[in-house]
Amino acid sequence: MLLTISTTHFPADDLSYLLHKHPGKIQSVDLSAGKAHIFYPEVSDEKCTAALLLDIDPVGLVRSAGPKGNDFALEQYVNDRPYVSSSFMSAAIAKAYSSALNGRCKDKPELVDVAMPFTVKLSVLPVKGGELVLRALFEPLGYQVNAVQHTLDPTFPEWGYSRYFTVELSNKLTLQQLLSHLYVLIPVCDNDKHYWVNQEEVEKLLEKGKDWLETHPAKEMVVRRYLKNQRLLTNQALGGLLSKDEIKEAVENEITIEGMTDIEEPQLRIHELRLHAAKEELLLAGAKRVADLGCGEGKLIKLLLAEKQFEFVLGMDVSYRSLEIAKERLKLERMPERQLQRVRLIQGSLTYRDKRLEGFDGAALVEVIEHLDEPRLAALERSVFEFAKPGVVVITTPNAEYNVRFADHQEGKMRHSDHRFEWTRKEFESWGTDLAVKYSYNVIFKPVGEVDAEVGALSQMAVFSRRDEIAEQLV
Ligand code: SAH
C-alpha cells in the first residue's frame, strides 16, 4: 500500500523540508507489524512527490496483538490488512511524518502555515459505504475527490464491485492539515478492527481533529467509526467536541424524508444509502425499464434518471402532494423532450392491481411497506408479485432491532408516526421468504447501513429475482 503526496507549490522541494526527509535518500521506519519506507519518485522546483510505502509483515501482524476477528477462524491469517491503507497507514504517517503532523519544521518554520496545492494518491483504500461515504468525508474539507472503484475480480465482472478504491484527493491547505485529515479519515473509511481503541485514542482523535472535526457535517460518523463503535468512548469524544444541541443538529441534517423527524437516525444520510443500494441492485440486475413504487418526492427517480442503463423510469405514489413535489424536484416542466420521454409519474395505490405497472424489468419499494396496515400487505404483495411481476424487486424497510440504539429510544416507539409496523430481521426474512416461495422468486437479504454486531443495521433490504428471469439468464 502506497500513499503519495505531491505538490506544485514553488519551490516544490519545500515539501522535503516540511516532511523532514531528505529527497535524495530512501529512509525506513519500523512499525509494530512491519516497515514504512519513504522516498521521492519526483523532485524538481515545479513538482515534488513524496511516497510512503508500507510493508506489513502478515506473520508479525498475527504475532503482535493484531486484530482478532471472530468472523471466521482463519481471519487473522487471511485478511486484506497487508494490502490496503488502514489504521497502519495512520500509524505510519504518525511515525514517518511526525514533525509535519505536529506542525514543526526545523529549517523553514515559516512553511508550516503556508497553504499549498496538494494531491494525494492512495493506491488501495477500503471504503465501507462506498463513494458516497468517501465524498461525505473529504468534500466538506474542501477536497476534490477522484475515486476509481475496483471490481471484486476482473475476470468475473458480474460479481460486481469490491469495497476497494484508488483515490486521488486534491486540495489547497497546510501540510499539517492534510496529514491530520488523512490520519483520522483513512481508518474511518476502512472501518475495520483497529489496533487501538482505548482512552489514548480519544485523546489522539481530539488532538488531530481539533481544528476541523467540530465543524465537519459527518463528525458523528467520523467519531463513531474511528472509535469503532465503542459507545462509551464515542460519547466521551463527542462530549469533548460538541454540545448536545450540535449533535442533534448534525443528526437532523442527515434525515431527508420529508416529515421524517420523529426520530433521529444517527447515521450518515442513511436514506441516501438506501436509495443508492436500491439503485445498485437495479443496475446489477441489468434492468432497463424500472418502477419506483411509493416514489414519494422522487429522490430515487432522480438517481435512476442519471443512469443511462435505465431507459424508462416510472414513479408511482398514492399521495398527490408527494408527486407534485417530485415533479418540481425533477424539474419535469423544464426537462428536454428526450429526457421527458424516459420518465413518468402516476398516482395510484399499490394495494390495487394496476395494468400500468406491468412489463417492468425492475421495481423498488424503498421504505414503503411499513406505511401499510399489515392486513393490507397481502393486497400489495399480489399487485406487485402476482400481477406486475417485475424481473427484480428491491424492498427496504427499517430494522426494528436497531431502535434500541437511538438515544431517545422508548419501548415500542416506532421511527415515524405513519409507520404501521417495524420488523426485526427475522420477521422481514420470514415474510420475504414466504413471499418468494409463493410467487416463484428467489430472494436474498442484505443490511443497509453499518452493521451493529448485536442488532444489525438501521435498515434492511430484500432483493427478489423472478425465477423464470434467472433461468433465462443462465441459458
Ligand atoms: N420511496 C420514497 C418514499 C418513502 S415514504 C423514498 O424512499 O424517499 C413512503 C411512501 O409510500 C409515501 O410517499 C407514501 O405516500 C407511499 N405510499 C404509502 N402507501 C401507498 C400505497 N398504498 N400505494 C402507493 N404508495 C403508497
Side-chain angles (χ1 to χ4, degrees), residues 257 271 274-275 292-300 316-319 322 348-351 364-372 380 396 418:
I257 293 189
H271 192 55
R274 281 180 202 125
L275 298 173
D292 182 10
L293 307 176
C295 64
E297 300 165 13
K299 289 186 185 130
L300 180 60
M316 190 243 228
D317 204 284
V318 74
S319 152
S322 295
S349 172
L350 287 165
T351 50
L365 291 90
V366 177
E367 308 294 289
V368 174
I369 56 170
E370 65 278 6
H371 290 265
L372 272 84
L380 174 140
T396 78
D418 193 43

Side-chain angles (χ1 to χ4, degrees), residues 270-341:
I270 176 67
H271 192 55
E272 280 183 36
L273 285 182
R274 281 180 202 125
L275 298 173
H276 277 269
K279 181 192 82 176
E280 288 298 325
E281 293 297 338
L282 293 172
L283 278 175
L284 213 63
K288 294 197 173 115
R289 290 173 55 81
V290 290
D292 182 10
L293 307 176
C295 64
E297 300 165 13
K299 289 186 185 130
L300 180 60
I301 302 178
K302 195 165 177 189
L303 287 180
L304 297 174
L305 285 174
E307 299 291 339
K308 282 206 192 78
Q309 177 179 319
F310 302 123
E311 291 167 4
F312 183 72
V313 182
L314 177 83
M316 190 243 228
D317 204 284
V318 74
S319 152
Y320 186 73
R321 185 162 170 267
S322 295
L323 290 170
E324 283 285 295
I325 299 174
K327 202 167 130 193
E328 207 31 56
R329 190 182 276 258
L330 296 166
K331 303 193 176 75
L332 284 197
E333 253 141 36
R334 279 153 281 162
M335 206 178 247
E337 190 53 34
R338 262 188 66 202
Q339 272 289 78
L340 203 55
Q341 283 175 3

Side-chain angles (χ1 to χ4, degrees), residues 143-381:
Y143 288 88
Q144 262 193 29
V145 178
N146 222 322
V148 178
Q149 188 170 9
H150 298 286
T151 49
L152 271 174
D153 187 332
T155 338
F156 301 99
E158 65 276 18
W159 290 357
Y161 286 101
S162 68
R163 63 188 202 112
Y164 304 111
F165 287 80
T166 294
V167 177
E168 201 178 272
L169 304 163
S170 308
N171 199 0
K172 191 169 179 190
L173 70 184
T174 67
L175 182 63
Q176 186 188 11
Q177 287 169 327
L178 175 77
L179 293 176
S180 74
H181 296 159
L182 295 174
Y183 178 88
V184 173
L185 295 180
I186 287 173
V188 165
C189 284
D190 176 31
N191 196 34
D192 204 345
K193 299 167 194 80
H194 310 322
Y195 271 86
W196 56 48
V197 171
N198 54 32
Q199 182 59 38
E200 211 183 309
E201 273 316 309
V202 179
E203 271 140 41
K204 272 195 208 161
L205 176 64
L206 295 177
E207 165 61 26
K208 302 285 181 287
K210 65 178 187 293
D211 297 326
W212 55 274
L213 195 50
E214 241 171 294
T215 50
H216 197 298
K219 64 194 147 188
E220 224 233 342
M221 180 178 75
V222 172
V223 172
R224 202 158 28 84
R225 283 191 172 196
Y226 185 88
L227 299 173
K228 201 51 203 154
N229 304 329
Q230 302 264 325
R231 290 214 130 222
L232 189 69
L233 290 177
T234 311
N235 290 344
Q236 269 181 27
L238 285 171
L241 268 179
L242 31 128
S243 70
K244 252 189 142 175
D245 282 350
E246 284 176 308
I247 296 178
K248 218 168 158 194
E249 195 188 283
V251 169
E252 270 163 13
N253 285 337
E254 295 167 9
I255 291 167
T256 51
I257 293 189
E258 192 214 13
M260 194 163 167
T261 45
D262 289 327
I263 218 160
E264 298 158 352
E265 291 199 333
Q267 191 166 3
L268 174 90
R269 299 192 190 99
I270 176 67
H271 192 55
E272 280 183 36
L273 285 182
R274 281 180 202 125
L275 298 173
H276 277 269
K279 181 192 82 176
E280 288 298 325
E281 293 297 338
L282 293 172
L283 278 175
L284 213 63
K288 294 197 173 115
R289 290 173 55 81
V290 290
D292 182 10
L293 307 176
C295 64
E297 300 165 13
K299 289 186 185 130
L300 180 60
I301 302 178
K302 195 165 177 189
L303 287 180
L304 297 174
L305 285 174
E307 299 291 339
K308 282 206 192 78
Q309 177 179 319
F310 302 123
E311 291 167 4
F312 183 72
V313 182
L314 177 83
M316 190 243 228
D317 204 284
V318 74
S319 152
Y320 186 73
R321 185 162 170 267
S322 295
L323 290 170
E324 283 285 295
I325 299 174
K327 202 167 130 193
E328 207 31 56
R329 190 182 276 258
L330 296 166
K331 303 193 176 75
L332 284 197
E333 253 141 36
R334 279 153 281 162
M335 206 178 247
E337 190 53 34
R338 262 188 66 202
Q339 272 289 78
L340 203 55
Q341 283 175 3
R342 286 177 69 211
V343 56
R344 195 170 156 218
L345 297 179
I346 60 170
Q347 191 183 15
S349 172
L350 287 165
T351 50
Y352 294 92
R353 177 177 186 171
D354 191 329
K355 286 242 173 236
R356 295 172 300 177
L357 303 184
E358 290 171 19
F360 283 87
D361 309 318
L365 291 90
V366 177
E367 308 294 289
V368 174
I369 56 170
E370 65 278 6
H371 290 265
L372 272 84
D373 288 323
E374 265 187 273
R376 300 290 294 147
L377 258 188
L380 174 140
E381 292 165 18

